[in-house]
Short mmCIF file of all heavy atoms in Angstrom, two decimals:
data_model
loop_
_atom_site.label_atom_id
_atom_site.label_comp_id
_atom_site.label_asym_id
_atom_site.label_seq_id
_atom_site.Cartn_x
_atom_site.Cartn_y
_atom_site.Cartn_z
N SER A 449 -54.80 13.60 61.25
CA SER A 449 -55.26 12.25 61.47
C SER A 449 -56.56 12.08 60.68
O SER A 449 -57.33 13.03 60.54
CB SER A 449 -55.47 11.99 62.95
OG SER A 449 -56.66 12.57 63.40
N SER A 450 -56.77 10.91 60.14
CA SER A 450 -57.86 10.74 59.18
C SER A 450 -59.22 10.98 59.82
O SER A 450 -60.17 11.34 59.15
CB SER A 450 -57.79 9.36 58.55
OG SER A 450 -58.11 8.38 59.51
N GLY A 451 -59.30 10.80 61.13
CA GLY A 451 -60.57 11.00 61.80
C GLY A 451 -60.95 12.46 62.00
O GLY A 451 -62.06 12.76 62.41
N ALA A 452 -60.03 13.35 61.71
CA ALA A 452 -60.31 14.78 61.91
C ALA A 452 -60.63 15.44 60.58
O ALA A 452 -60.12 15.06 59.53
CB ALA A 452 -59.10 15.46 62.56
N GLY A 453 -61.49 16.44 60.64
CA GLY A 453 -61.80 17.21 59.44
C GLY A 453 -60.54 17.90 58.93
O GLY A 453 -59.57 18.09 59.67
N LEU A 454 -60.54 18.25 57.66
CA LEU A 454 -59.32 18.77 57.05
C LEU A 454 -59.65 19.97 56.18
O LEU A 454 -60.56 19.92 55.36
CB LEU A 454 -58.70 17.66 56.20
CG LEU A 454 -57.49 18.00 55.34
CD1 LEU A 454 -56.25 18.07 56.21
CD2 LEU A 454 -57.29 16.94 54.28
N ASP A 455 -58.91 21.05 56.39
CA ASP A 455 -59.05 22.21 55.50
C ASP A 455 -57.94 22.15 54.47
O ASP A 455 -56.77 22.03 54.82
CB ASP A 455 -58.94 23.51 56.29
CG ASP A 455 -60.15 23.72 57.19
OD1 ASP A 455 -61.26 23.35 56.77
OD2 ASP A 455 -59.98 24.21 58.31
N PHE A 456 -58.33 22.22 53.23
CA PHE A 456 -57.33 22.20 52.15
C PHE A 456 -57.33 23.58 51.50
O PHE A 456 -58.29 23.96 50.85
CB PHE A 456 -57.67 21.11 51.15
CG PHE A 456 -56.64 20.92 50.07
CD1 PHE A 456 -55.56 20.09 50.28
CD2 PHE A 456 -56.77 21.57 48.85
CE1 PHE A 456 -54.60 19.92 49.28
CE2 PHE A 456 -55.81 21.40 47.86
CZ PHE A 456 -54.73 20.57 48.08
N ASP A 457 -56.23 24.30 51.72
CA ASP A 457 -56.13 25.65 51.19
C ASP A 457 -55.45 25.61 49.82
O ASP A 457 -54.24 25.40 49.71
CB ASP A 457 -55.32 26.52 52.17
CG ASP A 457 -55.32 27.98 51.76
OD1 ASP A 457 -55.28 28.26 50.55
OD2 ASP A 457 -55.33 28.84 52.66
N LEU A 458 -56.24 25.79 48.79
CA LEU A 458 -55.71 25.66 47.42
C LEU A 458 -54.57 26.64 47.15
O LEU A 458 -53.57 26.28 46.53
CB LEU A 458 -56.84 25.92 46.41
CG LEU A 458 -57.91 24.84 46.32
CD1 LEU A 458 -59.13 25.33 45.59
CD2 LEU A 458 -57.35 23.60 45.63
N ASP A 459 -54.70 27.85 47.63
CA ASP A 459 -53.66 28.85 47.38
C ASP A 459 -52.36 28.48 48.08
O ASP A 459 -51.29 28.51 47.48
CB ASP A 459 -54.13 30.24 47.86
CG ASP A 459 -55.24 30.79 46.98
OD1 ASP A 459 -55.32 30.36 45.81
OD2 ASP A 459 -56.03 31.62 47.46
N LEU A 460 -52.49 28.11 49.35
CA LEU A 460 -51.29 27.77 50.12
C LEU A 460 -50.63 26.51 49.57
O LEU A 460 -49.40 26.43 49.48
CB LEU A 460 -51.67 27.58 51.59
CG LEU A 460 -50.52 27.47 52.59
CD1 LEU A 460 -49.56 28.64 52.43
CD2 LEU A 460 -51.06 27.43 54.01
N ALA A 461 -51.43 25.56 49.17
CA ALA A 461 -50.89 24.27 48.73
C ALA A 461 -50.05 24.40 47.47
O ALA A 461 -49.20 23.56 47.19
CB ALA A 461 -52.02 23.27 48.51
N LYS A 462 -50.30 25.43 46.68
CA LYS A 462 -49.47 25.55 45.48
C LYS A 462 -48.45 26.67 45.60
O LYS A 462 -47.73 26.98 44.66
CB LYS A 462 -50.35 25.73 44.24
CG LYS A 462 -51.26 26.91 44.27
CD LYS A 462 -52.12 26.95 43.02
CE LYS A 462 -53.08 28.12 43.13
NZ LYS A 462 -53.93 28.26 41.96
N SER A 463 -48.38 27.29 46.77
CA SER A 463 -47.45 28.40 46.93
C SER A 463 -46.04 27.88 47.18
O SER A 463 -45.84 26.82 47.77
CB SER A 463 -47.88 29.29 48.09
OG SER A 463 -47.60 28.66 49.32
N ARG A 464 -45.08 28.62 46.73
CA ARG A 464 -43.68 28.27 46.97
C ARG A 464 -43.19 29.07 48.16
O ARG A 464 -42.43 30.01 48.00
CB ARG A 464 -42.85 28.57 45.72
CG ARG A 464 -43.29 27.74 44.52
CD ARG A 464 -42.64 28.24 43.25
NE ARG A 464 -41.19 28.20 43.32
CZ ARG A 464 -40.46 27.10 43.13
NH1 ARG A 464 -41.05 25.96 42.87
NH2 ARG A 464 -39.16 27.14 43.21
N SER A 465 -43.65 28.71 49.32
CA SER A 465 -43.24 29.42 50.52
C SER A 465 -43.10 28.44 51.67
O SER A 465 -43.61 27.33 51.62
CB SER A 465 -44.29 30.48 50.89
OG SER A 465 -45.36 29.88 51.59
N ASN A 466 -42.40 28.88 52.69
CA ASN A 466 -42.18 28.00 53.83
C ASN A 466 -43.44 27.73 54.63
O ASN A 466 -43.45 26.87 55.50
CB ASN A 466 -41.11 28.60 54.75
CG ASN A 466 -39.74 28.52 54.10
OD1 ASN A 466 -39.57 27.87 53.06
ND2 ASN A 466 -38.76 29.16 54.70
N ASP A 467 -44.48 28.50 54.35
CA ASP A 467 -45.75 28.23 55.04
C ASP A 467 -46.45 27.04 54.43
O ASP A 467 -47.41 26.51 54.99
CB ASP A 467 -46.67 29.45 54.94
CG ASP A 467 -46.09 30.63 55.70
OD1 ASP A 467 -45.24 30.39 56.58
OD2 ASP A 467 -46.46 31.77 55.39
N ASN A 468 -45.98 26.65 53.27
CA ASN A 468 -46.55 25.49 52.60
C ASN A 468 -45.75 24.25 53.01
O ASN A 468 -44.61 24.09 52.60
CB ASN A 468 -46.49 25.71 51.09
CG ASN A 468 -47.00 24.52 50.32
OD1 ASN A 468 -47.40 23.51 50.91
ND2 ASN A 468 -47.00 24.62 49.00
N PRO A 469 -46.33 23.39 53.83
CA PRO A 469 -45.56 22.26 54.37
C PRO A 469 -45.01 21.32 53.29
O PRO A 469 -43.95 20.73 53.48
CB PRO A 469 -46.58 21.52 55.26
CG PRO A 469 -47.92 22.03 54.86
CD PRO A 469 -47.71 23.41 54.32
N VAL A 470 -45.70 21.22 52.19
CA VAL A 470 -45.21 20.35 51.12
C VAL A 470 -43.91 20.92 50.55
O VAL A 470 -42.90 20.24 50.41
CB VAL A 470 -46.23 20.25 49.96
CG1 VAL A 470 -45.86 19.12 49.04
CG2 VAL A 470 -47.63 20.12 50.49
N PHE A 471 -43.98 22.21 50.26
CA PHE A 471 -42.80 22.89 49.73
C PHE A 471 -41.66 22.83 50.73
O PHE A 471 -40.51 22.54 50.38
CB PHE A 471 -43.17 24.35 49.44
CG PHE A 471 -42.03 25.19 48.97
CD1 PHE A 471 -41.68 25.24 47.63
CD2 PHE A 471 -41.28 25.92 49.88
CE1 PHE A 471 -40.61 26.01 47.20
CE2 PHE A 471 -40.19 26.69 49.45
CZ PHE A 471 -39.87 26.73 48.11
N TYR A 472 -41.98 23.07 51.98
CA TYR A 472 -40.98 23.12 53.04
C TYR A 472 -40.18 21.82 53.13
O TYR A 472 -38.96 21.84 53.25
CB TYR A 472 -41.71 23.40 54.36
CG TYR A 472 -40.82 23.75 55.53
CD1 TYR A 472 -40.11 24.95 55.55
CD2 TYR A 472 -40.71 22.90 56.62
CE1 TYR A 472 -39.32 25.29 56.63
CE2 TYR A 472 -39.93 23.23 57.71
CZ TYR A 472 -39.23 24.43 57.71
OH TYR A 472 -38.45 24.76 58.78
#
Side-chain angles (χ1 to χ4, degrees):
Chain A
S449 78
S450 69
L454 174 77
D455 291 323
F456 185 86
D457 187 324
L458 289 166
D459 290 336
L460 191 52
K462 58 182 177 179
S463 75
R464 298 169 59 80
S465 81
N466 288 351
D467 295 339
N468 177 0
V470 193
F471 177 86
Y472 191 68

